[in-house]
Amino acid sequence: WTFYYGTSTTTDKITDGQSAQMRWYTTATSNLGYAKYNTSFENVTKVVFNAKSTNGLKVRVSYSFNGTDFIEAETFSLTGTAQEITCNINQTESIYLKFEVVLPDTNPGGTSRLTIDDVKVYGMR
């Protein structure tokens, strides 16, 4: 995994020993945290993961054919309680995945966190 404004953490984890946590700070409003998986997947049909956030942050799931230029698959609204999310992708080519902070319609007003865990990538052979 590559993290920007985030890390793997044991603070406020969803399950097991740690979760991936991306952040948004009121002092750096243009820096939106993300986690990007560094290995590609082939024949992806869907991605299932657990997620939660503080202050109304959303999560955008994107994919890329080259690991650099990402295409939005879907954006999901979250709450402070972890929920299982399913994102349908249906790509037969090799793709990279990215989970990114998206701000709510109104400024969160305080430092905020997006937490993901238990990422499962499904595909067909």
Side-chain angles (χ1 to χ4, degrees):
W1 290 92
T2 295
F3 289 97
Y4 176 75
Y5 271 76
T7 186
S8 60
T9 183
T10 57
T11 305
D12 201 24
K13 61 190 180 287
I14 295 175
T15 58
D16 299 324
Q18 61 185 357
S19 296
Q21 191 177 92
M22 286 66 69
R23 298 176 188 89
W24 178 81
Y25 296 101
T26 56
T27 57
T29 57
S30 62
N31 293 323
L32 299 172
Y34 66 78
K36 181 174 63 168
Y37 199 71
N38 294 325
T39 304
S40 63
F41 300 92
E42 292 186 28
N43 299 315
V44 174
T45 57
K46 66 182 176 180
V47 177
V48 178
F49 60 99
N50 291 321
K52 66 180 181 176
S53 72
T54 61
N55 299 324
L57 292 184
K58 301 175 187 179
V59 61
R60 174 183 299 133
V61 180
S62 302
Y63 63 92
S64 170
F65 299 112
N66 61 14
T68 303
D69 303 308
F70 283 84
I71 301 162
E72 179 180 352
E74 195 167 351
T75 297
F76 300 91
S77 296
L78 303 171
T79 67
T81 303
Q83 57 189 301
E84 185 176 85
I85 308 263
T86 300
C87 180
N88 296 307
I89 294 181
N90 295 318
Q91 287 295 326
T92 56
E93 295 181 48
S94 181
I95 64 168
Y96 297 84
L97 293 171
K98 182 178 180 183
F99 301 85
E100 183 177 11
V101 167
V102 175
L103 297 177
D105 295 335
T106 58
N107 186 315
T111 298
S112 305
R113 294 183 311 271
L114 160 65
T115 306
I116 64 169
D117 207 334
D118 302 320
V119 177
K120 298 171 199 78
V121 180
Y122 293 86
M124 49 185 200
R125 291 198 179 264

